[in-house]
Amino acid sequence: MCGIVGAVANCNVVPVLLEGLLRLEYRGYDSAGLVVANHHLHRLRTTGRVAGLVKLVDEQKTEGLVGIAHTRWATHGAPSERNAHPHVSGDELQVAVVHNGIIENHEAMREHLQEEGYVFVSDTDTEVIAHLVAHNLKQTADLLEAVCLSIAELQGAYAIAVMEEIRPDRIIVARNGAPLLLGLGEQGNYAASDASALLNVTRNMIYLEEGDVAELDRGQYRIVNCLNDPLGSPVERRLHVSDLSHAAIETGPYDHFMQKEIFEQPSAVANTLEMVCNAQSISPHLFGSMAEKVFANTDSILVLACGTSYHAGLVAQYWLETVAGLPCNVQIASEYRYRDPIANPRALVVGISQSGETADTLAALGYAKRLGHQYSLAICNVAESALIRQTDLRFLTRAGPEIGVASTKAFTTQLASLLLMTITLAKMRNKLSAEYEQQMIKALRHLPAALQLALQVEPQVKIWARSFSQKNHALFLGRGVHFPIAMEGALKLKEVSYIHAEAYAAGELKHGPLALVDSEMPVVAIAPNDQLLDKLKSNLQEVHARGGELYVFADADAQIQESESLHVIRLAEHAGLLSPILHTIPLQLLAYHVALLKGTDVDKPRNLAKAVTVE
């Protein structure tokens, strides 16, 4: 949930550290800090955004050839300067540490280190690492060995970067359950939580694997792995050349990343479906070389995901059971990992995550494997993520970098991917005729254009936003496959506008939620022209009869008439299986424009961070 940047170079690294932190601020923005080596370790920390740290650096004219930096999302200890990273061990072997993740045994470690005479000045779990590394440096003069010895004593998921004062010409980084990569440049070597943080200095990246510890200096690096050797065994990791562009991580002509990413959805979906849209038939090999064999032996689907990705899984449940005839069980990953479910070895486990580093999803996937599930598939946006590396099959959503904390294009590309998976499984189960397959390929080819058309409702949505921005609560209704879309719409509104919003299957209104309906409770309904439309119209009448204000996103052919308290925005004619993807667009636009009017921080909502790499 936090962002790490490290640099060892032939020139002042402070601009690299600050630029990297600004790129990573979506991962956390409660506080920020850095430490650089300039004759001795010099540390700066501040609460709030990275901009505050930039100001502090300018005021103190901070420079250095080696440094580590951090932007924080608070887990242990309130956002404050004393809890901000880097944390240091204050004895004669001064050590500085930045950390992403959670140290689960930090309380026991703290007690042990206090008995050894170490004084703690923060409420964080991270300070344990600094003192532990300093303590182990008394046993070995090598910082890399000291870090290896230290992580052997730590429990939890983490990525760390470490510096020491007596040899300030290098940094040590380590990864266990949280993302970390190396950047190899002409002027020096670097480390970061995300490739976007290093694009201004290099495109040559090495993605560290579980248990890796790396030493970086100006001209070289070395990597050891500590999974089976407490002092680390030398390993080689493959070099990747990033294809990210600066334009992809800039807002460009848009006011916010969320706005940009909403309007990037036609191109993001086109990129995701490129292989199938240019083909004459749908092949299981789109999901990996083993896919044909795995899909042939699959008799059910288990989806594991969190948040927005969970909603995508719920939509897929309707598709898989209706089109492919496969039972589908969708589980919130953070709950699944603490249950005692019955494993079916022939069930394909599908993990869905934008970042591929979501801690709960990774843990749930590992748990499913230990229970006896044989095969797994990742739907993910990051090619070198942990989720991709831990699954047998994979499909990259190719949404490009998503910087806004509230997910938009990641969701629609996940839906497109899951629909493609559904069609593929249906074909392999002889549930898809050749004629229907061609119809679906044609529909998928048209999807980017249909999304572009859906974006044209923005002026009408802006008008609705004026009314919504004055409200404190809202209800979202949907039926069938559109109920999860209502859930996603409610999530978006509360994420970025802080308006309390709940979603219900519309048929459940009379079983409780109808008690909330009055003129101050706007009710948003998704009204596609499908087999449940007449049922939904009856639910809308229940709201109307209680004086509720209705805001309905309807298909053009849904025949819902406007009235004084029933407002309608019409999309295109009913899009069949693609309808949930298209109805997502106006709900995103509504959340965005309500948030603008309320003056909230659209891209960085309070208390939230983008990549949830802690439990």
Side-chain angles (χ1 to χ4, degrees):
M1 299 284 280
C2 306
I4 291 173
V5 188
V8 185
N10 297 317
C11 55
N12 179 24
V13 299
V14 172
V16 176
L17 298 177
L18 293 176
E19 177 70 17
L21 289 187
L22 288 168
R23 298 294 185 200
L24 295 178
E25 199 168 26
Y26 69 91
R27 301 179 70 91
Y29 32 89
D30 292 331
S31 59
L34 60 79
V35 61
V36 293
N38 192 353
H39 303 299
H40 60 86
L41 296 187
H42 180 61
R43 178 174 60 160
L44 296 176
R45 298 184 295 174
T46 183
T47 55
R49 303 297 172 85
V50 175
L53 183 62
V54 173
K55 182 179 179 182
L56 203 58
V57 165
D58 290 342
E59 290 173 351
Q60 299 195 20
K61 297 180 171 51
T62 303
E63 293 185 351
L65 301 179
V66 183
I68 55 178
H70 187 270
T71 182
R72 181 176 186 243
W73 185 83
T75 55
H76 296 75
S80 64
E81 185 174 331
R82 73 187 185 93
N83 288 329
H85 299 215
H87 289 282
V88 300
S89 184
D91 63 11
E92 69 276 7
L93 296 172
Q94 189 173 30
V95 168
V97 174
V98 292
H99 164 224
N100 173 24
I102 288 179
I103 305 303
E104 295 174 357
N105 61 335
H106 73 98
E107 292 179 343
M109 295 301 301
R110 177 184 286 250
E111 183 176 340
H112 167 69
L113 288 163
Q114 284 174 331
E115 290 174 354
E116 294 290 336
Y118 291 91
V119 176
F120 284 77
V121 297
S122 78
D123 304 315
T124 69
D125 55 339
T126 304
E127 193 177 358
V128 162
I129 306 173
H131 293 315
L132 184 58
V133 173
H135 186 65
N136 283 320
L137 270 173
K138 294 176 180 178
Q139 303 177 44
T140 173
D142 182 42
L143 182 60
L144 184 139
E145 284 191 12
V147 171
C148 290
L149 290 170
S150 298
I151 64 174
E153 300 183 59
L154 300 177
Q155 298 172 12
Y158 52 81
I160 62 174
V162 186
M163 289 176 59
E164 63 174 330
E165 186 165 72
I166 63 172
R167 190 180 162 189
D169 59 346
R170 59 178 178 162
I171 60 175
I172 308 296
V173 298
R175 176 205 165 127
N176 183 62
L180 199 64
L181 58 90
L182 309 182
L184 309 182
E186 294 182 2
Q187 298 298 316
N189 291 319
Y190 311 88
S193 301
D194 190 307
S196 63
L198 302 179
L199 286 181
N200 58 327
V201 288
T202 185
R203 293 182 180 276
N204 297 320
M205 312 286 183
I206 292 176
Y207 291 84
L208 297 181
E209 298 186 9
E210 297 298 280
D212 280 356
V213 180
E215 178 184 62
L216 297 174
D217 62 28
R218 293 179 184 87
Q220 59 187 1
Y221 69 93
R222 62 174 170 139
I223 305 172
V224 300
N225 188 273
C226 295
L227 286 181
N228 299 311
D229 183 349
L231 294 180
S233 301
V235 292
E236 296 289 333
R237 301 299 183 211
R238 189 159 61 98
L239 180 68
H240 299 263
V241 180
S242 174
D243 59 1
L244 287 179
S245 67
H246 279 288
I249 55 175
E250 299 284 355
T251 54
Y254 297 96
D255 294 327
H256 301 91
F257 279 109
M258 183 178 182
Q259 181 189 30
K260 177 192 179 191
E261 288 154 9
I262 289 172
F263 279 86
E264 284 178 339
Q265 288 175 111
S267 61
V269 168
N271 290 337
T272 299
L273 297 175
E274 180 182 18
M275 293 298 292
V276 68
C277 291
N278 291 329
Q280 298 303 312
S281 64
I282 294 171
S283 168
H285 295 294
L286 292 167
F287 297 87
S289 59
M290 294 175 55
E292 187 169 10
K293 173 189 173 184
V294 172
F295 285 178
N297 290 317
T298 294
D299 68 1
S300 61
I301 304 293
L302 169 63
V303 175
L304 302 173
C306 301
T308 285
S309 297
Y310 170 69
H311 296 157
L314 291 174
V315 173
Q317 182 178 40
Y318 286 89
W319 285 338
L320 285 160
E321 295 185 347
T322 302
V323 179
L326 277 170
C328 180
N329 180 14
V330 184
Q331 293 288 323
I332 298 172
S334 59
E335 290 294 315
Y336 176 84
R337 61 187 290 195
Y338 295 111
R339 291 179 47 222
D340 295 313
I342 306 302
N344 172 11
R346 293 188 62 191
L348 175 64
V349 182
V350 179
I352 311 174
S353 169
Q354 187 283 137
S355 68
E357 304 290 349
T358 307
D360 285 318
T361 304
L362 292 171
L365 174 62
Y367 182 48
K369 289 181 177 180
R370 293 193 297 275
L371 288 174
H373 286 282
Q374 292 186 29
Y375 297 111
S376 55
L377 183 153
I379 303 289
C380 183
N381 192 40
V382 181
E384 294 300 326
S385 64
L387 185 65
I388 290 288
R389 293 198 298 272
Q390 291 180 22
T391 53
D392 308 293
L393 310 179
R394 57 201 58 88
F395 190 90
L396 285 172
T397 55
R398 298 180 66 188
E402 189 180 65
I403 307 300
V405 167
S407 183
T408 52
K409 63 178 180 175
F411 180 65
T412 47
T413 54
Q414 286 171 355
L415 290 178
S417 305
L418 289 163
L419 180 55
L420 180 58
M421 182 187 77
T422 299
I423 297 167
T424 305
L425 285 163
K427 180 179 179 179
M428 293 199 64
R429 292 170 57 80
N430 296 317
K431 302 283 187 180
L432 192 71
S433 68
E435 180 183 3
Y436 191 46
E437 179 182 5
Q438 293 306 309
Q439 289 176 7
M440 287 309 306
I441 291 174
K442 182 179 179 180
L444 291 172
R445 285 174 182 156
H446 178 66
L447 181 55
L451 288 167
Q452 195 68 54
L453 189 62
L455 288 165
Q456 294 180 12
V457 303
E458 185 181 31
Q460 297 164 272
V461 171
K462 284 183 177 180
I463 296 172
W464 283 11
R466 295 174 197 159
S467 173
F468 265 80
S469 65
Q470 306 303 313
K471 306 298 183 181
N472 296 315
H473 308 277
L475 285 176
F476 284 69
L477 305 178
R479 296 206 71 145
V481 72
H482 293 84
F483 170 44
I485 302 303
M487 296 171 71
E488 177 63 13
L491 177 62
K492 283 294 151 289
L493 186 68
K494 57 190 162 193
E495 277 182 316
V496 298
S497 75
Y498 314 149
I499 291 174
H500 169 242
E502 291 187 73
Y504 281 90
E508 286 294 292
L509 266 180
K510 54 188 173 291
H511 297 294
L514 204 55
L516 296 172
V517 171
D518 60 20
S519 60
E520 292 301 308
M521 174 73 80
V523 178
V524 179
I526 303 168
N529 188 20
D530 60 13
Q531 71 274 17
L532 291 172
L533 179 61
D534 288 339
K535 299 291 184 183
L536 179 67
K537 286 180 178 179
S538 297
N539 303 137
L540 300 185
Q541 286 298 321
E542 293 169 353
V543 174
H544 192 264
R546 273 80 177 176
E549 193 91 356
L550 282 158
Y551 296 83
V552 181
F553 292 108
D555 289 344
D557 49 357
Q559 297 183 348
I560 295 178
Q561 300 302 317
E562 287 197 72
S563 66
E564 184 178 349
S565 58
L566 196 161
H567 315 283
V568 181
I569 290 179
R570 302 186 190 280
L571 280 71
E573 293 187 356
H574 184 52
L577 289 177
L578 305 180
S579 178
I581 305 176
L582 299 180
H583 275 275
T584 297
I585 302 299
L587 297 174
Q588 295 172 346
L589 289 169
L590 179 64
Y592 173 72
H593 285 290
V594 171
L596 285 187
L597 291 171
K598 289 181 69 68
T600 63
D601 191 332
V602 175
D603 287 334
K604 301 180 181 70
R606 68 188 182 200
N607 304 332
L608 300 178
K610 184 68 176 176
V612 188
T613 57
V614 297
E615 182 178 352

